Amino acid sequence: MPFCGNCGNKVNDNQAVCLKCGCAINQAFAEKSSANGTHNKIVAALLALFLGGLGAHKFYLGKPIEGIFYLLFCWTFIPCLVAFVEGIIYLVMSDESFAAKYN
């Protein structure tokens, strides 16, 4: 199922307009974005749970500044705790809300 190039909302193959933002759907772009430009919430959650203290999930989600802060403060173990909570949040977040926020 492709995503809207403007807001990241899932759209049906036969939709001409996104129901969330009203943007016209370019089918070639929607198919391309659904295959290449998306982040997987399971991958983000696993990175947060296992390598979150180093900010791996932030780098994966395209937030390198936050990832650098995780790296700078990894010796305090605070990023480990925050990343653990973020990993749990990613797991319980719906696919639609994760796609809208991070894709």
Side-chain angles (χ1 to χ4, degrees):
M1 182 173 260
F3 293 92
C4 173
N6 186 42
C7 69
N9 189 38
K10 287 184 180 179
V11 294
N12 292 330
D13 292 331
N14 57 357
Q15 270 183 270
V17 176
C18 176
L19 298 177
K20 184 175 180 183
C21 68
C23 177
I25 301 296
N26 180 350
Q27 289 300 323
F29 178 75
E31 291 171 12
K32 178 183 166 196
S33 67
S34 69
N36 295 333
T38 61
H39 301 289
N40 188 329
K41 81 173 192 172
I42 301 298
V43 172
L46 290 174
L47 284 172
L49 291 173
F50 294 110
L51 297 172
L54 300 175
H57 63 296
K58 294 296 184 180
F59 290 109
Y60 174 72
L61 293 173
K63 298 182 180 225
I65 302 299
E66 292 179 25
I68 290 170
F69 278 112
Y70 276 67
L71 279 172
L72 289 175
F73 293 103
C74 68
W75 60 273
T76 65
F77 294 106
I78 293 171
C80 293
L81 296 173
V82 174
F84 182 77
V85 172
E86 287 177 332
I88 300 299
I89 290 171
Y90 296 155
L91 287 174
V92 298
M93 187 182 287
S94 70
D95 292 336
E96 290 80 19
S97 61
F98 183 85
K101 189 170 183 178
Y102 296 108
N103 289 333

